[in-house]
C-alpha cells in the first residue's frame, strides 16, 4: 500500500465523477485503504445519489435507505461534494488530471439502447429512462409529456426497469400518494386510463431478467391482476435444463412465480399486467402517433444458458397508444476519454482506463460505465473496491504524485466559467426544504425538479 503523498505530506487528491452508488462505494474504499486522501466528488446535478434518487422506484422506499450510508461517507473528514458541475463541459477530464492525482469516473450509463425498428420515434413511443426520470423528478425529464389516455400500454423488455415502469402504471394513485413520487407525475397518473399493461420478453419465462422480489410484487398490487397464458410457460428442453441447473435457482424461482400467476382464476381488478414471451417488436405503426405495435413470434435456439431468440416470420399486432422500450441502458462517451461505442462503456482493465492496450495514467472507472448496466445497487460495492485496489497500487508510481492542489485550483476556473458549485451543506438545505414540502403533502419528500429551483433556494 502507498504510504503517503510524497515529501509535502499532503493527502493524495482524488476526484470522483458521479455521486451514485459506485461513486460513494469508491470513496468508502479509498477511506478504508488507509491512504491519506482528500476526495472531491463532482456531480452534474446540484443534488447527489444518482439513480438512488432518480432511478429507484418511489414505492421502493426501503432501497433508498442506502442513502444513509452514503451521507455518512459524505460527512467524513477528507470528503467534499461539489454538485452542479458537469465534467466534460464545465471542466475537462484533462483539467481534473492536472488538479488531482487520480480521477475515478463513476458516471453511470445515462442513455438507452435503441430498438432500431420503424416507428420507434413516433409520439407515444418512449424510453423507460424518460418515464422513470419523469416520475422520479429528474430535471432532464421534468417536462416530458406522457399521454395516459389509452387503455393499453406495451413495455418491451423483461428486466427490473420494465418491472418498475409496469408497476408504476399499474398501481392505484392511493398506493403512490404517500411515496416520494414527483407530484407532477402523480397528477397525470391519477387521470390514467391505462387498464392493460403488456410486458413483452423476446425470450422465454426462464430467461426473464426480473429478480424474484420484484416479480412477486405483481401478485400483491391493490388494483391490478397479474396474468399469463399458461401455454406460454411451456419450456423447451434447454430451458428446462437451465432452471434445473444448480447455479440458476433465481430463474427457477421466476418460473415458479409466473406459474403461480398463470394458475390464478381471472381476477376482477381495474387493471391487469400481462406477461408474454418469445416475441420481438418488428415495428411500431401510426401516423402522427403510436396506434399499434407489431410483434414477431420467436423460437429459442442454442445450448442451455446460451439461448437466443430467432424470428419465425409469424406476427401479431397489439393496438396501443403507449410503448416503452426498456431494453437496457448505455453509457455516454466522456470527451477526452476512450469509449467503446459497442458496449457503451469505457475500456478498462480492473478499473484502469486503457487505450490501445496501454493504461491511461490517472484515470479509472467504476460502476456501470466500467462494466455495463448490470446488477443491483450492492453489486457496485465490490466493483468499486476492485477499482480502488488498482488505484492504490498505482498511486506510488504516478510521476506527479503528491502536492496536487485538488479543488482549490478548480474553484477560480469554475467561477470564471459561471459555474456555481453546490456543497454538501447546500445539499442538506435542499434536502430539508424537500422534506418540508413533502410533509405538506403527506409524502417523505417532494423533490425540486428544476435545477433553477434548487439554485434559487441557495441564492
Ligand atoms: P436488463 O435487466 O438487462 O433487462 C433488459 C431486458 O431487455 C431483457 O429482458 C432483455 O432480453 C431485453 N432486451 C434487450 N435487448 C432487446 C431487444 N433488442 N429487443 C427486445 N428485448 C430486448 O436491464 P434493465 O431492466 O434496464 O436493468 C438494468 C439493471 O438495473 C439490472 O441489473 C437490474 O436488475 C437493475 N435494476 C434493479 C432494480 C431493483 O433492484 N429493484 C430496479 C431497476 C433496475 P434478453 O435477456 O433476451 O437480452
Amino acid at each position: 500500500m502507498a504510504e503517503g503523498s510524497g515529501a509535502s505530506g499532503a493527502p493524495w487528491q482524488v476526484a470522483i465523477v458521479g455521486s451514485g452508488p459506485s461513486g460513494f462505494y469508491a470513496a468508502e474504499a479509498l477511506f478504508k485503504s488507509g491512504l491519506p486522501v482528500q476526495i472531491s466528488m463532482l456531480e452534474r446535478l446540484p443534488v447527489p445519489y444518482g439513480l438512488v434518487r432518480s432511478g429507484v422506484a418511489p414505492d421502493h422506499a426501503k432501497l433508498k435507505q442506502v442513502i444513509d450510508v452514503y451521507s455518512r461517507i459524505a460527512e467524513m473528514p477528507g470528503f467534499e461534494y461539489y454538485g452542479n458541475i458537469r465534467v466534460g463541459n464545465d471542466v475537462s477530464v484533462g483539467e481534473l488530471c492536472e488538479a488531482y492525482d487520480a480521477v475515478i469516473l463513476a458516471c453511470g450509463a445515462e442513455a438507452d439502447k435503441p430498438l432500431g425498428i420503424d416507428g420507434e420515434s413516433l409520439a407515444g413511443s418512449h424510453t423507460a429512462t424518460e418515464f422513470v426520470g419523469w416520475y422520479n423528478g429528474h430535471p432532464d425529464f421534468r417536462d416530458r409529456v406522457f399521454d395516459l389516455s389509452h387503455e393499453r400500454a406495451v413495455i418491451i423488455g423483461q428486466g427490473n426497469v420494465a418491472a418498475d415502469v409496469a408497476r408504476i402504471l399499474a398501481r392505484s394513485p392511493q398506493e403512490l400518494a404517500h411515496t416520494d413520487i414527483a407530484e407532477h407525475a402523480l397528477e397525470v397518473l391519477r387521470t390514467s386510463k391505462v387498464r392493460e399493461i403488456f410486458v413483452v420478453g423476446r425470450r422465454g419465462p426462464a430467461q426473464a431478467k426480473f429478480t424474484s422480489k420484484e416479480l412477486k410484487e405483481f401478485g400483491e398490487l391493490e388494483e391490478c391482476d397479474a396474468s399469463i397464458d399458461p401455454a406460454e410457460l411451456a419450456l423447451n428442453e434447454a430451458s428446462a435444463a437451465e432452471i434445473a441447473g444448480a447455479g440458476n435457482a433465481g430463474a427457477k424461482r421466476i418460473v415458479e412465480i409466473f406459474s403461480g400467476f398463470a394458475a390464478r382464476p381471472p381476477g376482477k381488478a381495474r387493471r391487469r399486467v400481462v406477461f408474454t414471451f418469445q416475441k420481438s417488436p418488428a415495428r411500431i405503426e401510426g401516423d402522427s402517433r403510436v396506434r399499434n405495435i407489431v410483434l414477431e413470434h420467436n423460437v429459442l435456439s442454442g445450448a442451455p444458458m446460451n439461448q437466443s431468440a430467432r424470428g419465425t416470420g409469424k406476427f401479431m399486432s397489439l393496438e396501443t397508444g403507449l410503448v416503452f422500450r426498456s431494453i437496457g441502458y448505455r453509457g455516454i462517451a466522456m470527451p477526452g476519454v476512450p469509449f467503446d461505442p459497442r458496449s457503451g462503456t469505457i475500456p478498462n482493465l480492473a478499473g484502469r482506463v486503457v487505450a490501445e492496450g496501454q493504461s491511461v495514467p490517472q484515470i479509472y472507472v467504476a460502476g456501470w460505465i466500467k462494466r455495463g448496466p448490470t446488477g443491483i445497487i450492492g453489486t457496485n460495492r465490490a466493483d468499486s473496491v476492485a477499482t480502488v485496489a488498482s488505484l492504490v497500487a498505482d498511486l506510488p508510481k504516478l510521476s506527479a504524485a503528491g502536492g496536487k492542489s485538488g479543488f482549490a485550483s478548480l474553484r477560480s476556473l469554475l467561477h470564471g466559467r459561471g459555474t456555481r458549485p453546490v456543497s454538501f451543506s447546500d445539499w442538506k438545505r435542499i434536502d430539508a426544504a424537500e422534506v418540508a414540502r413533502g410533509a405538506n403533502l403527506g409524502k417523505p419528500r417532494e423533490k425540486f425538479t428544476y435545477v433553477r429551483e434548487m439554485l434559487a433556494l441557495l441564492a
Side-chain angles (χ1 to χ4, degrees):
M1 180 196 294
E3 282 174 359
S5 56
S8 67
W12 298 93
Q13 296 282 351
V14 180
I16 298 176
V17 180
S19 67
S22 57
F24 272 103
Y25 292 130
E28 180 187 58
L30 278 165
F31 285 134
K32 284 192 174 162
S33 74
L35 282 180
V37 68
Q38 177 71 38
I39 298 170
S40 299
M41 179 175 275
L42 309 174
E43 163 61 51
R44 75 173 174 94
L45 290 179
V47 293
Y49 307 134
L51 277 184
V52 180
R53 175 179 164 103
S54 57
V56 171
D59 57 340
H60 281 174
K62 257 191 158 170
L63 283 180
K64 298 186 199 219
Q65 287 172 4
V66 71
I67 281 178
D68 297 342
V69 175
Y70 303 157
S71 67
R72 279 199 294 278
I73 295 168
E75 306 277 9
M76 289 173 78
F79 183 99
E80 283 165 325
Y81 171 80
Y82 299 104
N84 199 33
I85 297 173
R86 191 186 283 265
V87 174
N89 189 15
D90 298 321
V91 59
S92 69
V93 172
E95 287 166 332
L96 290 184
C97 288
E98 280 170 31
Y100 292 88
D101 293 301
V103 177
I104 302 177
L105 301 171
C107 41
E110 291 194 82
D112 296 81
K113 283 191 206 149
L115 282 170
I117 58 170
D118 284 349
E120 193 171 2
S121 52
L122 281 171
S125 164
H126 305 278
T127 65
T129 309
E130 290 171 81
F131 189 62
V132 170
W134 173 75
Y135 66 62
N136 275 325
H138 191 297
D140 287 0
F141 306 100
R142 167 65 177 85
D143 293 322
R144 295 297 158 99
V145 176
F146 296 93
D147 178 354
L148 306 186
S149 65
H150 306 269
E151 294 219 338
R152 181 182 289 142
V154 176
I155 302 169
I156 305 300
Q158 292 191 331
N160 281 335
V161 173
D164 286 346
V165 170
R167 216 176 50 256
I168 295 301
L169 289 170
R171 280 209 190 271
S172 65
Q174 357 10 311
E175 282 176 294
L176 294 171
H178 302 293
T179 71
D180 70 353
I181 190 167
E183 200 60 19
H184 64 256
L186 185 59
E187 268 169 36
V188 176
L189 287 162
R190 280 188 208 284
T191 64
S192 169
K193 300 260 186 316
V194 174
R195 295 287 171 266
E196 193 172 53
I197 302 148
F198 272 77
V199 185
V200 182
R202 65 176 168 183
R203 297 191 289 160
Q207 291 82 33
K209 295 251 180 79
F210 307 118
T211 42
S212 57
K213 189 168 144 286
E214 276 61 32
L215 183 60
K216 242 174 64 197
E217 276 183 280
F218 287 99
E220 297 154 5
L221 301 178
E222 255 178 27
E223 291 188 357
C224 184
D225 295 319
S227 157
I228 296 180
D229 174 356
E232 289 207 44
L233 293 180
L235 300 182
N236 66 7
E237 212 174 295
S239 297
E242 279 181 24
I243 64 165
N248 205 15
K252 181 165 184 257
R253 181 76 193 111
I254 292 292
V255 172
E256 283 167 3
I257 297 168
F258 280 142
S259 305
F261 293 162
R264 290 183 181 187
K268 295 198 175 58
R270 269 177 79 230
R271 292 190 171 129
R272 66 178 194 139
V273 170
V274 182
F275 294 94
T276 186
F277 307 97
Q278 291 186 214
K279 294 173 189 75
S280 285
R283 62 186 176 276
I284 300 172
E285 295 177 330
D287 304 319
S288 56
R289 57 166 302 113
V290 174
R291 204 172 1 95
N292 62 288
I293 182 165
V294 178
L295 303 172
E296 182 173 13
H297 292 267
N298 292 332
V299 284
L300 298 184
S301 60
M305 306 306 290
N306 204 19
Q307 296 189 79
S308 57
R310 189 164 36 83
T312 59
K314 275 176 56 194
F315 296 87
M316 62 173 283
S317 183
L318 281 175
E319 214 178 294
T320 179
L322 196 55
V323 174
F324 294 98
R325 49 190 186 277
S326 181
I327 61 168
Y329 294 104
R330 292 180 52 76
I332 300 175
M334 172 72 77
V337 179
F339 186 69
D340 176 358
R342 265 183 323 122
S343 62
T345 59
I346 294 177
N348 70 93
L349 279 174
R352 296 176 177 96
V353 172
V354 293
E356 289 157 21
Q358 299 290 316
S359 50
V360 179
Q362 292 178 270
I363 310 180
Y364 298 82
V365 278
W368 280 5
I369 196 66
K370 170 188 175 187
R371 69 174 194 277
T374 57
I376 56 174
I377 292 171
T379 314
N380 293 296
R381 182 176 246 140
D383 181 297
S384 294
V385 165
T387 292
V388 168
S390 298
L391 188 159
V392 168
D394 294 349
L395 269 182
K397 292 179 257 162
L398 289 175
S399 55
K404 296 261 185 168
S405 50
F407 199 78
S409 60
L410 290 190
R411 198 175 288 279
S412 60
L413 187 143
L414 288 166
H415 183 75
R417 292 174 186 172
T419 302
R420 183 236 193 267
V422 170
S423 67
F424 202 70
S425 56
D426 288 336
W427 149 245
K428 281 167 74 179
R429 284 171 60 200
I430 297 174
D431 183 32
E434 289 187 344
V435 170
R437 281 155 48 106
N440 293 333
L441 296 162
K443 299 163 88 174
R445 83 172 53 239
E446 182 58 33
K447 291 173 197 155
F448 291 106
T449 54
Y450 291 108
V451 168
R452 62 170 182 271
E453 289 176 323
M454 301 171 188
L455 298 182
L457 182 92
L458 304 174

